Amino acid sequence: MTARVLVVDDIAANVKLLEARLTAEYFDVVTASNGPQALEIAEKGQCDVVLLDVMMPGMDGFEVCRRLKANPATHHLPVVMVTALDQPSDRVKGLEAGADDFLTKPVNDLALITRVRSLARLKLMTDELRLRATTGRHMGLDDPLAAAIKVGGDNGRILVVEDRASAAERLREYLERNHRVDVEPDPQEALFRLADDNYDVAVVSLSLSGFDALRLCSQIRSLERTRNLPIVLIADPEESVRILRGLEIGVSDYVIRPIDRNELKARIATQVRRKRYTDKLRDNVQLSVTMAFTDALTGLHNRRYMETHLRSLVEQASDRGRALSVMVLDIDYFKAVNDTHGHDAGDDVLREFARRVRRTVRGIDLVCRLGGEEFVVVMPETDMALAVRVAERVRRAVCEEPFVVLDGALVLDITVSVGVGVLEQPGEAPDAILKRADMALYAAKRNGRNRVVADAA
């Protein structure tokens, strides 16, 4: 996956080394030589993961991390401390400042790339939630980002999955002062409990006997109910390869035996806070969408939501130098459907059309009904060539299978015309992109309908 990594170190040789390693794995890299410069880059939204040196003159890495986590605009950024400090007390200090992990110098290449990929995936999962929550704020709702960063990391519900009684009791003892802790020795039963109950963190021993702990982690990630549940591995020092494999499949964090009580406490608190943060954003998104921004007929976002959210997406793409495309879709001869078969048939067509479009595009793409038979799809990180391919997929998904409406009493052949426009320069007005896509749509209509036309201006 592509991500932009901010490397912060006052020693140029260290920066060059990390930059070379990350670039070789196709990450984009930006650099900063001091704390204030790093804070400025992060606040502008120009990075996805921060690799932060601890020992810097002036503002050290701990203070930079604290400031990143205290700012609603940068609170969600994953931070990895890169340091020669290797004592548990140093790790605890960094975790309490908000760091997501530590890499000890000299940095192991495999650990570096695996951890950055894992945290970049985590960032991607929260980005859309934050963006949509921000849209709700623009519409006059309470600021969800400011509220979300105030959540605490205590009194969470923790399920410990450990089949050795003595080890399970030690973990319970370490955690129960700050959390409500359950222990489950059976991995399969643990999966059921996690799916049925509202836990904040799963703590899984990597040394389960008779069962592959990583398979349990993969199963947790595969269930809709537990897909976003934080998972913390408890591992032995010699299990580094399996730890890295765990991070690749979605494990959130890990603690190495012998367990330092304070480090475990800090890491679990971080995961509880992160889950509550995303839960608050998700709740806010659901509330705002339900209240104000959903088209009742199709379940898609409406024009009001699209206009504000498109503005946010264009600003984000401009700030990061990324591509963005817009499709405008119009169902061909839709008025004839209403006139000939009635509005109930027309409504069925609109609902099925929305379902097919949503099924064909990505989850991160924004699908909206502008009104009547006109729809818009906004596609972040998508250039013109890719947007045209996606538009063709949508067109085929509509025309290649008849629409069955009125509870099966009527079968209709439906087609769609599509116009595509792209963000041409940073800071461009969203209306300009929409206008170009709209003009391309008109060209598609003039040229015979049931086709895709891309704006080439």
Side-chain angles (χ1 to χ4, degrees):
M1 64 175 297
T2 300
R4 185 168 293 177
V5 183
L6 171 59
V7 177
V8 188
D9 198 312
D10 62 308
I11 299 175
N14 292 343
V15 172
K16 291 295 183 184
L17 180 61
L18 288 173
E19 184 176 15
R21 290 174 175 176
L22 292 164
T23 302
E25 295 295 328
Y26 305 103
F27 291 102
D28 294 331
V29 178
V30 291
T31 64
S33 59
N34 56 64
Q37 186 181 7
L39 292 173
E40 181 180 357
I41 292 171
E43 187 159 14
K44 289 180 178 178
Q46 296 175 344
C47 61
D48 300 304
V49 178
V50 181
L51 294 183
L52 180 60
D53 185 44
V54 171
M55 307 302 291
M56 294 187 295
M59 185 187 300
D60 67 15
F62 296 124
E63 179 61 22
V64 175
C65 188
R66 277 191 288 270
R67 295 193 185 192
L68 287 171
K69 296 300 181 178
N71 184 345
T74 57
H75 173 83
H76 64 296
L77 281 176
V79 177
V80 179
M81 296 277 195
V82 183
T83 176
L85 304 176
D86 59 359
Q87 296 301 308
S89 58
D90 299 319
R91 291 197 296 271
V92 170
K93 184 177 179 182
L95 291 166
E96 290 177 344
D100 294 89
D101 203 0
F102 277 78
L103 291 173
T104 303
K105 297 176 181 178
V107 176
N108 176 276
D109 283 359
L110 180 60
L112 169 69
I113 300 305
T114 301
R115 200 52 171 146
V116 169
R117 282 181 178 149
S118 173
L119 291 172
R121 283 196 299 269
L122 173 69
K123 165 79 163 34
L124 185 63
M125 288 170 58
T126 60
D127 268 352
E128 186 174 359
L129 282 175
R130 293 184 70 257
L131 194 56
R132 292 180 185 243
T134 302
T135 298
R137 182 187 64 193
H138 289 165
M139 294 298 183
L141 301 178
D142 292 338
D143 185 349
L145 302 185
I149 68 171
K150 296 177 182 178
V151 298
D154 286 338
N155 200 31
R157 286 200 66 196
I158 315 297
L159 182 65
V160 174
V161 187
E162 171 62 86
D163 53 11
R164 294 177 297 176
S166 59
E169 284 309 308
R170 277 196 300 274
L171 288 168
R172 184 198 296 273
E173 177 191 350
Y174 290 167
L175 293 171
E176 65 184 359
R177 292 185 182 181
N178 303 94
H179 306 282
R180 293 167 289 163
V181 182
D182 296 324
V183 174
E184 177 51 64
D186 183 344
Q188 292 295 351
E189 185 62 28
L191 187 63
F192 291 128
R193 293 181 66 172
L194 291 169
D196 291 341
D197 294 329
N198 189 28
Y199 285 101
D200 293 303
V201 180
V203 178
V204 179
S205 171
L206 197 50
S207 306
L208 295 174
S209 59
F211 195 91
D212 185 350
L214 294 184
R215 183 169 299 280
L216 173 60
C217 296
S218 177
Q219 291 171 340
I220 293 170
R221 281 288 169 263
S222 69
L223 295 179
E224 181 68 28
R225 182 73 187 273
T226 57
R227 186 160 295 154
N228 299 313
L229 178 72
I231 304 171
V232 176
L233 286 179
I234 305 296
D236 294 319
E238 64 271 17
E239 294 180 300
S240 59
V241 173
R242 297 191 71 215
I243 291 171
L244 294 176
R245 179 63 179 144
L247 292 171
E248 288 177 352
I249 65 175
V251 166
S252 311
D253 205 350
Y254 59 92
V255 179
I256 300 295
R257 296 186 178 98
I259 296 171
D260 179 89
R261 183 194 302 259
N262 291 324
E263 181 180 353
L264 177 65
K265 174 185 172 182
R267 290 188 183 275
I268 296 298
T270 295
Q271 297 304 322
V272 172
R273 278 195 302 270
R274 178 179 292 155
K275 182 175 185 295
R276 290 173 176 171
Y277 173 80
T278 56
D279 284 350
K280 272 191 171 292
L281 294 184
R282 194 171 285 110
D283 290 346
N284 177 275
V285 169
Q286 185 60 44
L287 176 63
S288 64
V289 167
T290 301
M291 287 177 57
F293 308 128
T294 302
D295 175 62
L297 178 65
T298 63
L300 301 178
H301 294 300
N302 60 18
R303 177 190 288 270
R304 182 185 184 198
Y305 184 88
M306 186 276 295
E307 288 174 346
T308 300
H309 195 55
L310 176 60
R311 182 167 62 248
S312 298
L313 286 170
V314 170
E315 289 174 358
Q316 185 181 84
S318 296
D319 290 343
R320 299 183 179 183
R322 305 288 176 88
L324 179 138
S325 297
V326 174
M327 284 193 288
V328 178
L329 309 95
D330 191 275
I331 301 174
D332 295 327
Y333 304 111
F334 180 75
K335 184 176 183 299
V337 174
N338 280 335
D339 292 346
T340 305
H341 305 290
H343 287 280
D344 287 345
D347 288 350
D348 283 351
V349 168
L350 290 170
R351 279 189 287 264
E352 174 62 12
F353 179 84
R355 188 186 69 80
R356 294 189 190 189
V357 173
R358 190 158 43 188
R359 184 182 61 192
T360 306
V361 301
R362 303 169 302 177
I364 195 174
D365 296 330
L366 175 65
V367 185
C368 300
R369 182 188 179 198
L370 287 190
E373 66 272 27
E374 193 169 34
F375 296 77
V376 167
V377 180
V378 184
M379 298 175 287
E381 309 269 342
T382 306
D383 61 17
M384 176 68 84
L386 179 56
V388 169
R389 290 203 299 272
V390 175
E392 278 291 343
R393 283 206 306 268
V394 171
R395 187 191 65 79
R396 290 195 301 270
V398 172
C399 72
E400 290 180 351
E401 182 180 344
F403 282 50
V404 180
V405 299
L406 299 179
D407 294 324
L410 182 64
V411 177
L412 298 173
D413 291 322
I414 300 295
T415 63
V416 62
S417 299
V418 186
V420 180
V422 298
L423 174 66
E424 293 186 346
Q425 57 187 6
E428 187 173 25
D431 287 348
I433 308 169
L434 274 174
K435 183 176 181 181
R436 288 197 297 273
D438 215 28
M439 292 177 66
L441 171 65
Y442 292 147
K445 293 284 191 182
R446 288 195 306 269
N447 293 335
R449 304 176 191 259
N450 188 24
R451 66 191 64 228
V452 174
V453 172
D455 171 71

